[in-house]
Amino acid sequence: MSTLRCDGLSARLGGREVLRDVTLDLDARTIAVIGDNGSGKSTFARLIAGLATRSAGGLTVLGLDPDRDAADLRRRVALVLSNPDAQIVMPMVADDVGFSLRAERLAKAERAERVARALARFGLADLADRPAHDLSGGQKQLLALCGAFVRDPALVVADEPTASLDARNARRVADHLLADTGHALVLVTHDLALARRCDAAVLFAEGSVSAAGAASGVVDAYERALAC
Ligand SMILES: Nc1ncnc2c1ncn2[C@@H]1O[C@H](COP(=O)(O)OP(=O)(O)OP(=O)(O)O)[C@@H](O)[C@H]1O
Ligand SMILES: [Mg+2]
């Protein structure tokens, strides 16, 4: 089954076509999405996560159609964004992670157990009872990851998840995202070294795909274009 399949996919925003005739078929586990500012990467990420609607064409994500199978896809996909502050929903760290499990209607003890396991995995166990807004930027982004992964998503869509982090935290966050824990990853990034760590990549230019395939070749193509 393809991780991502697009067939003539287009999207309009504010009366403009911001994605045009995107056709792809990628079955890689980790897929980087790269390209200049304004090239359509975030719009593409939002379509995949079911947060935006296409204007034309076909799209399947893990074999699901975001229009037809919206609820199913929402259950299986988690989204991580670049601004850690904007992703905090609850005042306290453990409650914020627990909030991600609200749709699963778990017994209280099971929910607490899932939250504790996730906090430990992301090195946040000692911060469980701290106010979420008091964490450092890097800790907040680990908290956002924790909230995403506590749901055991089949796919994580991350839009510039390391953009606001120092090198150490960026590495830590990237390592968590790329570790093979059974999830697929679509990673929007301007960090080309990070993009190279993915299995596949898609290069956007002005709303269209200008290269797609093995990550190393696609990043090479972008670097050649940058040198012109
Ligand atoms: N809500 C909106 N209404 C109108 N146009 C929009 C809207 N959101 C994005 N756009 C336009 O769509 C195009 C693609 O935007 P998008 O955010 O997908 O780019 P991006 O590749 O993620 O850029 P960046 O690297 O700066 O994050 C841009 O020209 C942008 O101005
Ligand atoms: Mg963007």
Side-chain angles (χ1 to χ4, degrees), residues 41-42 159-160:
K41 304 180 300 297
S42 292
D159 191 352
E160 297 195 48

Side-chain angles (χ1 to χ4, degrees), residues 55-132:
S55 54
L59 172 64
T60 60
V61 181
L62 306 176
L64 300 170
D65 179 323
D67 285 351
R68 205 186 50 223
D69 311 312
D72 209 0
L73 195 64
R74 251 198 314 276
R75 261 195 305 280
R76 307 190 70 201
V77 175
L79 186 66
V80 180
L81 303 171
S82 60
N83 180 349
D85 280 295
Q87 300 173 83
I88 294 171
V89 189
M90 299 296 280
M92 307 304 279
V93 166
D95 295 340
D96 192 66
V97 177
F99 186 80
S100 297
L101 292 172
R102 68 197 177 284
E104 301 197 15
R105 301 181 191 290
L106 303 173
K108 205 171 162 188
E110 189 182 348
R111 182 176 158 131
E113 154 73 22
R114 289 266 296 269
V115 168
R117 246 189 298 137
L119 286 168
R121 171 174 166 193
F122 289 91
L124 297 171
D126 291 344
L127 304 175
D129 300 320
R130 290 263 295 275

Side-chain angles (χ1 to χ4, degrees), residues 13-14 16 18 36-43 160 190:
L13 285 174
R16 270 185 347 106
V18 299
D36 293 352
N37 291 133
S39 58
K41 304 180 300 297
S42 292
T43 306
E160 297 195 48
H190 290 292

